[in-house]
Amino acid sequence: MADKPLGKMYFPILRKTPGDAGRVNPDPFGFFSCRLNVARFLDIDNLDLNLIISRERKAHTRSLTLADGTVLKQSAENAGGQVASSLFTLAIGSRGSRSVILKTGKKTPNISGLIYHTLTFRFPSWATIWTIADALGELIPLTKIKADPTATDIFPFFTVKGGRKYPIMAKTDAEGNTDASVPNTSAEAQSLLTQSEKKGTAKKGA
C-alpha cells in the first residue's frame, strides 16, 4: 500500500497544424498524463489546471520506493477513491498510447549496480516528437532540468519507443512556440478547450 496517492494527472494539450485551411478535422486536442508520484517529483502536482485524478490501480505485493520518495508497502491494492473536476471529466477519451521516458539524477541499487530512476508520461498517438518536446518544456519547471542533475532533477532529454533520445525544448522557446499549447492555469485550460471547439465547429461548417 502506498503512503501517498498514486492516481493519474491529465494535462490538456493542443497541437496546431498550419496550412490546414482546407481540412475538415480540427487541430488535435487531447491529454497527456503521468502518475501522481511523477507529478510530485517534477513539482507540477499542484498546478491549477482543474485536472483529473483517476482511481488508483492495484499494486503488486512488493516494497518499493519511487523517485519522489513515495513508499509502496506490501498490500493487495492501493486504497483510494476518485477525485474528478467538472472541466475535463467528459473529455478524457484515452490514456494515451505513446510512452515518453525521462531520466532522473536519482540512483537506486540494482542487481547490475546503480541505475537511474525514470519517470513516464503517456501522450496521444498524434503527438509528434516536436509536440512532446514543446509540451515538456512548457510544463516542467526550468529548475528541474539540468545537464548534470541531482537526485531531485531530470536530464534535459526524453526517450520514446526504440530508445532514441530527444532534447526537451528550452522553456523560453517552448512558451514562445505556438505549434503546441499546454496551459498553466485552469483559465488557460478552459481557453484552450474553447479554441479547439471553435475551430472544429468552423471547419465542420465550412
Side-chain angles (χ1 to χ4, degrees):
M1 181 176 185
D3 63 347
K4 297 177 185 176
L6 286 177
K8 283 202 171 187
M9 290 191 73
Y10 290 83
F11 305 88
I13 182 173
L14 174 70
R15 192 190 84 192
K16 296 183 179 178
T17 50
D20 63 350
R23 291 178 54 202
V24 175
N25 295 328
D27 290 340
F29 176 85
F31 298 82
F32 62 104
S33 65
C34 69
R35 290 202 308 181
L36 275 170
N37 64 289
V38 173
R40 285 191 293 269
F41 184 92
L42 296 173
D43 295 335
I44 57 175
D45 55 312
N46 290 320
L47 290 180
D48 177 27
L49 288 174
N50 246 0
L51 300 176
I52 303 298
I53 301 176
S54 68
R55 189 174 302 279
E56 297 170 358
R57 296 180 177 179
K58 292 185 177 181
H60 297 292
T61 302
R62 59 180 177 173
S63 180
L64 177 68
T65 299
L66 302 178
D68 74 322
T70 299
V71 178
L72 291 176
K73 299 177 182 179
Q74 292 186 348
S75 173
E77 63 180 336
N78 286 322
Q82 177 173 308
V83 180
S85 70
S86 60
L87 183 56
F88 295 121
T89 302
L90 299 179
I92 298 291
S94 66
R95 297 177 181 271
S97 59
R98 192 166 200 183
S99 293
V100 173
I101 309 298
L102 306 178
K103 186 166 79 171
T104 76
K106 185 174 184 177
K107 296 180 180 180
T108 186
N110 182 269
I111 191 171
S112 59
L114 292 176
I115 61 171
Y116 289 102
H117 269 284
T118 58
L119 310 173
T120 302
F121 279 86
R122 295 278 287 178
F123 278 81
S125 59
W126 49 257
T128 64
I129 293 300
W130 181 260
T131 302
I132 294 169
D134 185 342
L136 295 176
E138 283 194 59
L139 183 69
I140 301 171
L142 182 62
T143 54
K144 299 293 291 187
I145 304 174
K146 297 176 182 176
D148 186 19
T150 68
T152 60
D153 309 311
I154 63 170
F155 285 88
F157 58 80
F158 62 92
T159 59
V160 294
K161 186 176 181 179
R164 293 190 61 183
K165 294 181 182 179
Y166 301 93
I168 297 173
M169 193 177 295
K171 197 166 191 66
T172 52
D173 294 335
E175 291 177 343
N177 180 44
T178 59
D179 292 337
S181 298
V182 177
N184 292 313
T185 67
S186 180
E188 290 178 3
Q190 179 64 73
S191 175
L192 198 66
L193 179 59
T194 301
Q195 289 178 42
S196 175
E197 290 174 340
K198 285 183 177 179
K199 188 164 186 179
T201 300
K203 287 187 177 182
K204 287 178 182 178

